[in-house]
Amino acid sequence: MDFSIHHDGKDWVASCGDISVAAPDLDSLDRKVESELGKRGLLSEQGKTMVRMCFDTRTIPEWIRQYAQHYFNRVVVFGG
């Protein structure tokens, strides 16, 4: 599952389709993503669920994008 991630000046925000969650730190964001996926029945019951979070570079100044093409991306695994 692929999420987009950015910081809105207050919170980290992760979104994928109609799912959008926000939290002040990445650990809390991970827990909220896991909770939301669980509510929607999107977590694997047999094993692990891998969530890729790709930073939305549109949220950083255009002049720096050439030097930080991805800023950071992360993979979070839930379960198992």
Side-chain angles (χ1 to χ4, degrees):
M1 185 169 296
D2 293 326
F3 277 73
S4 173
I5 186 173
H6 71 276
H7 198 275
D8 67 5
K10 179 183 174 215
D11 291 322
W12 287 102
V13 180
S15 55
C16 176
D18 65 338
I19 300 171
S20 184
V21 296
D25 58 70
L26 293 174
D27 287 334
S28 299
L29 184 69
D30 294 348
R31 298 293 67 84
K32 285 190 172 189
V33 169
E34 182 178 31
S35 175
E36 189 63 30
L37 294 179
K39 288 178 192 174
R40 294 170 183 250
L42 298 173
L43 291 175
S44 173
E45 294 182 19
Q46 298 93 327
K48 300 176 181 179
T49 301
M50 182 173 61
V51 173
R52 287 178 295 276
M53 296 184 188
C54 298
F55 189 79
D56 184 355
T57 58
R58 294 175 296 176
T59 63
I60 59 176
E62 192 170 324
W63 66 268
I64 202 167
R65 292 181 201 167
Q66 64 184 324
Y67 303 110
Q69 295 177 2
H70 64 277
Y71 188 67
F72 77 90
N73 297 321
R74 55 197 305 259
V75 176
V76 181
V77 178
F78 302 115

